[in-house]
Amino acid sequence: MQLVAVGAYQRQVCQAVADDLSQQGISCGVVCLLEPGRFRDPRDGIEAEHQPPSQTKATLFPSDIKLRVFVCHMRPETLLGGCRPLDLGRDRTLAFGYANHGGTLDTAGLLMANGSDPESVSQAIVSRLGSLDCNTGRSNYE
């Protein structure tokens, strides 16, 4: 399983989620994605020149993982649209971010209001992994 953080506060969320999942026996890695546009499908040759090499992409974002989870500081649908090559499909990808909920005066409150706090993300991951195991018959969370 892989957690992908886009943003500084989101990296903190991902690390807290990784720690929580580790205590539950679920292994995962955390990747910080600083320039998501470099992982998009290039629109022309100039953009293609600025894409990372295929080997780097494969190392950072292996396609054989069970679940990839994005936690971002923007609307998650927009991130997934821009990073389409990293999306593993509806069953194997989750994305969390700004969901147009505000009314708080601090970062933790904003993350919680938008369902991007560590507890909400962890619960969604455990739920998704449970449904994947039921569908595949696997008994571990790798």
Side-chain angles (χ1 to χ4, degrees):
M1 207 209 88
Q2 182 178 51
L3 295 162
V4 181
V6 182
Y9 292 115
Q10 291 70 24
R11 189 211 54 84
Q12 292 174 340
V13 168
C14 285
Q15 191 58 56
V17 169
D19 293 344
D20 179 50
L21 295 177
S22 175
Q23 291 177 2
Q24 297 181 51
I26 302 170
S27 63
C28 64
V30 176
V31 173
C32 297
L33 184 57
L34 300 179
E35 294 184 73
R38 288 183 177 252
F39 292 88
R40 64 173 291 138
D41 285 324
R43 294 172 286 194
D44 57 31
I46 295 170
E47 279 189 1
E49 291 175 16
H50 296 282
Q51 298 287 305
S54 296
Q55 183 59 37
T56 301
K57 287 181 190 178
T59 300
L60 291 174
F61 300 101
S63 61
D64 62 346
I65 60 172
K66 191 173 205 176
L67 183 65
R68 180 168 292 139
V69 179
F70 293 90
V71 181
C72 63
H73 55 78
M74 58 193 290
R75 293 186 186 275
E77 301 84 5
T78 303
L79 177 70
L80 288 178
C83 294
R84 182 62 55 212
L86 303 180
D87 186 343
L88 298 173
R90 188 174 304 276
D91 291 339
R92 296 177 49 215
T93 304
L94 290 173
F96 300 88
Y98 180 66
N100 205 30
H101 298 280
T104 65
L105 298 175
D106 64 359
T107 303
L110 185 61
L111 290 168
M112 185 178 294
N114 285 280
S116 297
D117 59 293
E119 185 177 329
S120 297
V121 173
S122 290
Q123 287 176 355
I125 290 170
V126 169
S127 176
R128 176 64 57 90
L129 288 173
S131 69
L132 286 175
D133 281 346
C134 290
N135 292 334
T136 63
R138 293 182 183 169
S139 60
N140 59 14
Y141 291 128
E142 294 182 46

